[in-house]
Amino acid sequence: MNYRIAQRALALTPSLTLAIDAKAKQMKADGIDVVGFGAGEPDFDTPQHIKDAAAKALAAGFTKYTPAAGIPELRQAIAEKHRRENGLEYKPSQIIVSCGGKHSCYNVIMATCQEGDEVVIPSPYWLSYPEMVKLAGATPVFIQTTDATEFKVTPEQLRAAITPRTRLFILNSPSNPTGTVYTPEEIKALGDVCVQHGVLIMSDEIYEHLVYDGAVHKSVASFSRAHYEHTIIVHGFAKAWSMTGWRLGWCAAPEPIAKAVDAIQSHSTSNPTSFAQKGAVAALTSPNDHLKEWLAEFDRRRRYAHARLNSMPGISCCNAKGAFYLFPNISKLGLKSVDFCAKLLEEQKVAAVPGIAFGSDDHIRISYATSMENIEKGLDRLEKFVRQLAK
Ligand SMILES: *Cc1c(COP(=O)(O)O)cnc(C)c1O
């Protein structure tokens, strides 16, 4: 039998992080004391009132299909969240709930991009964006950024990357993997360029609530009517409510795009899980009291890890005011990111993600969504490793 695999699947970049992740898991299973800096999810539990609401819905038999775009009360609650927190007016019909923020990104890209289109993506990037663009038949165009600008794209760089084929610009602030948060002025300036050139913006705001050091998140949609009309917000429950396993995200978009996303979803996944949506309603309709504690703890770890990394020979790590990642530069240590991480795991039993997975071979990604005890232990080991390399 010739299992001919479709070109679109063959064209995907296999996940480089998987090999290291699989190895780390195997080592753990073998009883080896591995410190994991790979986590892409908060280490806190989903708040109890959210779990209770889902459990109650489940017990009451809320277990059937819902409308593909989500239950009306959740779409309403999301619209109210955008009004309350972002000053943005969306009708519930402009909100489509999907099976995770990742699924929302995928649906939005499938609904807006096709063969011949270019999508501008700042690099380092969240690793799924370019693959989704390729699945849609479009071409990713990267803007390379460096530590020197805290991995921020300038309006000039964006303007230079735009061609008549450019359909979409992907903005992710706060950023995974760098933790960078653009200022409101910087966001507006990038939005201005897109408006001038008629380019849509997919603004992935999933880390909106996870900002430190007085950083302010402002949605690019909020600067003017034109900005709003050019923007599709992607968001989700995974990070600020620690609901990664629930698979719930959303997009907020101009009506024709929301309609197209709904149509795609209705023929692929249909609705996100019914009783999970009830939990999400509880998340949005009660105060985010849990966040204060989470943010204080993330910030404490962030400050500690940032200072420790910068004190290590050959490592420099720029300031990162959002999400729960640091993206230290390791280029002075003479190893590319994959070799660096493989050796670090082998010799010191520390798992970090090679930067090449996000478009930079000079960096590694450290997640501080793990206990302070783990962070101290892991950084002690990393320091030992780095001192040997620097010799
Ligand atoms: C975690 C994450 C998402 C969405 O994750 P889901 O689990 O699918 O909700 C989207 N964008 C970025 C940049 C992320 O880090």
Side-chain angles (χ1 to χ4, degrees):
M1 182 60 200
N2 171 18
Y3 294 105
R4 193 214 63 195
I5 301 302
Q7 194 48 47
R8 80 175 67 81
L10 291 175
L12 297 175
T13 307
S15 177
L16 270 167
T17 56
L18 277 184
I20 288 211
D21 192 51
K23 179 131 193 251
K25 287 204 171 106
Q26 185 55 51
M27 287 167 75
K28 262 186 201 161
D30 293 345
I32 298 171
D33 171 32
V34 176
V35 178
F37 283 140
E41 58 186 353
D43 54 317
F44 308 114
D45 196 7
T46 306
Q48 190 59 41
H49 66 283
I50 299 175
K51 294 201 278 187
D52 288 345
K56 194 171 148 210
L58 184 58
F62 194 70
T63 56
K64 301 293 166 62
Y65 291 133
T66 76
I71 54 176
E73 61 178 313
L74 179 53
R75 295 169 82 190
Q76 182 72 44
I78 293 168
E80 274 161 23
K81 171 255 177 286
H82 283 301
R83 184 172 307 126
R84 184 173 69 236
E85 295 186 350
N86 311 104
L88 293 169
E89 295 293 331
Y90 288 103
K91 288 185 255 160
S93 57
Q94 292 176 266
I95 310 284
I96 309 292
V97 186
S98 298
C99 312
K102 181 180 279 184
H103 188 218
S104 297
C105 291
Y106 179 77
N107 284 345
V108 165
I109 289 169
M110 291 304 268
T112 56
C113 300
Q114 62 191 22
E115 279 78 10
D117 289 341
E118 292 176 354
V119 177
V120 175
I121 306 174
S123 175
Y125 45 76
W126 188 45
L127 70 180
S128 293
Y129 300 141
E131 305 308 313
M132 290 173 177
V133 168
K134 287 195 265 173
L135 281 170
T139 307
V141 173
F142 299 106
I143 302 178
Q144 203 59 51
T145 67
T146 66
D147 311 65
T149 60
E150 290 183 7
F151 304 106
K152 287 174 181 173
V153 165
T154 64
E156 292 70 35
Q157 281 179 306
L158 176 56
R159 202 170 286 120
I162 289 174
T163 75
R165 289 176 179 271
T166 308
R167 177 67 176 146
L168 192 67
F169 170 57
I170 299 183
L171 182 61
N172 174 219
S173 174
S175 155
N176 176 4
T178 63
T180 294
V181 185
Y182 287 79
T183 66
E185 294 72 30
E186 289 163 344
I187 297 264
K188 178 181 182 297
L190 294 176
D192 288 347
V193 173
C194 291
V195 167
Q196 278 161 16
H197 291 84
V199 169
L200 290 171
I201 305 157
M202 184 175 89
S203 181
D204 183 343
E205 305 183 9
I206 193 140
Y207 293 101
E208 167 179 22
H209 299 94
L210 305 185
V211 289
Y212 322 99
D213 261 359
V216 174
H217 168 86
K218 198 152 156 86
S219 175
V220 64
S222 65
F223 291 101
S224 74
R225 186 75 202 167
H227 286 78
Y228 173 89
E229 285 172 352
H230 282 76
T231 301
I232 304 140
I233 293 177
V234 172
H235 213 311
F237 295 91
K239 308 295 159 51
W241 294 271
S242 197
M243 291 168 69
T244 45
W246 293 59
R247 309 313 305 133
L248 281 176
W250 75 84
C251 69
E255 197 92 46
I257 294 175
K259 267 212 178 85
V261 167
D262 188 7
I264 288 170
Q265 182 156 300
S266 72
H267 288 298
S268 45
T269 58
S270 294
N271 61 274
T273 303
S274 55
F275 45 90
Q277 293 184 62
K278 290 284 191 177
V281 171
L284 288 180
T285 54
S286 34
N288 288 332
D289 289 338
H290 64 284
L291 265 184
K292 206 173 155 219
E293 210 174 293
W294 291 9
L295 283 172
E297 179 59 19
F298 275 148
D299 192 29
R300 189 168 80 93
R301 301 172 186 174
R302 181 185 71 94
R303 285 167 190 276
Y304 173 79
H306 182 256
R308 281 289 306 270
L309 286 166
N310 275 318
S311 75
M312 296 181 196
I315 289 203
S316 61
C317 182
C318 68
N319 197 6
K321 297 186 177 183
F324 38 69
Y325 310 104
L326 294 170
F327 206 57
N329 189 315
I330 50 129
S331 62
K332 289 210 180 95
L333 291 163
L335 285 176
K336 287 301 184 186
S337 65
V338 175
D339 293 338
F340 186 97
C341 290
K343 258 181 103 126
L344 177 63
L345 181 59
E346 185 78 27
E347 294 178 10
Q348 291 295 335
K349 320 292 182 239
V350 172
V353 186
I356 190 70
F358 312 98
S360 170
D361 219 1
D362 288 338
H363 297 82
I364 63 171
R365 192 190 74 175
I366 300 276
S367 162
Y368 51 86
T370 184
S371 71
M372 196 65 171
E373 191 192 340
N374 269 332
I375 292 173
E376 284 172 16
K377 187 158 84 177
L379 291 179
D380 286 348
R381 294 180 185 184
L382 176 63
E383 180 156 8
K384 212 160 151 198
F385 179 71
V386 163
R387 287 199 184 282
Q388 273 163 12
L389 279 182
K391 258 187 207 156

